[in-house]
Structures are given as C-alpha cells and as structure tokens.
Amino acid sequence: MSKRGRPDLPPLDDVVDGFFEAQDLVDGGHEAAAQEALEGLIEHCSAAEPYTAPPLSRKSATSDPPLAVVVSSALNLLGELHLDAAMRSGYPQTTQSHPRVDEAVFAFNEALRYWPHANASAALSLGTIYRDCGRPGEALAVLLEIVSQGRMPQAEEEEEEEEEEEEGVEEGKSAEGAGGDGQCWYSGWATPALERCLPIATMQASLIMAQ
C-alpha cells in the first residue's frame, strides 16, 4: 500500500511481460492457464488510472504504453476467451443467452473503461455481441464510435510523415519525444487494431442503419 493509501501497482515492464505470456498461452491452446494469468494480472492492476486522453500521434507519446492500455488489452483478450467458449456452445447460432457471453460483455466494457478512445478491438467485439443479441441501437452506438475515431491517429501520423518528407527532415529526428526509437506505443498497441477493425465496423454500422 502506498503512502497515500492507494494500492501499489506492479512495474509496467512486468505487466507487459505478463500480458504477452498470457497471449502465448492462448496461442498455444492453453486457454484455462491464460484465463487464470489474465485474471491475476487484471486484479493486480485494478487500481490503474484509466487512460482517457484522445488519440495521440507518434511524436507526442512515449514508446511505453500507459498501464491502463495494457490492462485494457488484457481485459479484451479475456473477453475473447469467454466469447470463444460461448461460441463452442452454440452462440449465436443456437442461443443468444450464455453466461460466458455475459462475462465477455463485462470484460469488453471494462476494457473500454480503462481505455475508451480508439480501443477498436474491444469496441468491435462489444458491438458485434450487441448486434447478435438483438440490440441494434447499442451496437450502432459502439460501432459508430470506431468509425468516428478510428482514422485519427493514422491520419495524423501520415500528415506528419508528409511534412517531414517535404521539409527534408534528417533521418531519426522523428524519434524526438517517442522514446528515441521513432515509434510510439500507438504503433504496436492501437494502430493495427484500428486498421483491422475500421472497415468491419463501417460495414456493420451501414447494415444496421439500412435495416
């Protein structure tokens, strides 16, 4: 316990390592062990402050992700484990009511609470569940959030790169303010998911609005 009465949080590097170890367990088919590891990580980091800043460019962020982003990613992975288990039991083809779906919805909502902006994976998963469970209004609201925010970081980075090329900025100068390696945490933790989820969210939102 810290001097101010708040629980001490584990070092960021340990949390990141724990997340990737859990991801490796999932990839290796050890879902029960992965779930246990993720739940332990999330519990130990439950006092992390949510990361509520708007999307940032690679020049204005460090190379290390905020703790809340890692916790959010762990919650998202946990939600996917719950959803996979529900799908093996027939969701959504034979049933739209399953306790693991409820657990997935809780995990995705918690993921969005820790990291509400540009958290495309959690938002898309949640929107898809709402759609499959006959809640189109809630699904549309979540999907449109991806559509409205999804391109912001990518567009900002592309604009900066064009400016650098036009101005002939020396190689490596773009690393300033980004941990010295020219990359910010967004490039690994957010941008790939945004690029993958944006077209899917756009299509699903269009289909809902056309009904």
Side-chain angles (χ1 to χ4, degrees):
M1 188 74 68
S2 67
K3 293 180 180 179
R4 295 185 179 181
R6 294 184 56 190
D8 292 323
L9 293 168
L12 176 62
D13 288 346
D14 291 351
V15 179
V16 172
D17 289 345
F19 170 74
F20 285 120
E21 287 170 5
Q23 203 168 52
D24 288 341
L25 287 170
V26 174
D27 293 340
H30 307 291
E31 295 188 358
Q35 179 177 337
E36 182 178 357
L38 289 167
E39 289 173 344
L41 183 154
I42 293 163
E43 182 180 357
H44 291 152
C45 299
S46 60
E49 291 288 339
Y51 180 75
T52 57
L56 299 174
S57 75
R58 62 186 172 89
K59 278 188 173 181
S60 56
T62 67
S63 57
D64 293 326
L67 178 60
V69 169
V70 186
V71 177
S72 177
S73 300
L75 281 158
N76 186 50
L77 184 55
L78 179 62
E80 290 174 356
L81 288 176
H82 288 310
L83 194 55
D84 287 345
M87 293 176 70
R88 289 194 293 269
S89 297
Y91 168 86
Q93 286 79 13
T94 61
T95 179
Q96 294 181 346
S97 177
H98 194 284
R100 296 297 290 271
V101 175
D102 294 338
E103 292 182 72
V105 168
F106 178 80
F108 293 135
N109 271 311
E110 281 291 280
L112 289 168
R113 181 176 70 84
Y114 276 103
W115 181 23
H117 297 298
N119 189 351
S121 291
L124 180 61
S125 295
L126 188 61
T128 302
I129 291 175
Y130 286 154
R131 181 203 64 186
D132 292 342
C133 292
R135 299 158 65 177
E138 292 169 275
L140 184 60
V142 175
L143 294 169
L144 288 178
E145 184 70 14
I146 303 172
V147 175
S148 66
Q149 295 189 15
R151 290 196 182 275
M152 292 174 63
Q154 182 181 0
E156 191 174 342
E157 289 184 8
E158 289 175 351
E159 193 173 306
E160 290 172 352
E161 289 172 359
E162 290 174 2
E163 289 176 358
E164 288 175 2
E165 291 175 1
E166 292 172 0
E167 296 171 4
V169 178
E170 294 180 2
E171 184 178 355
K173 194 167 184 179
S174 62
E176 292 177 5
D181 59 0
Q183 297 290 326
C184 83
W185 63 268
Y186 235 99
S187 64
W189 293 84
T191 303
L194 287 167
E195 293 175 346
R196 173 178 58 84
C197 295
L198 181 60
I200 301 172
T202 302
M203 179 188 66
Q204 289 192 9
S206 299
L207 290 173
I208 292 173
M209 289 188 288
Q211 292 176 353

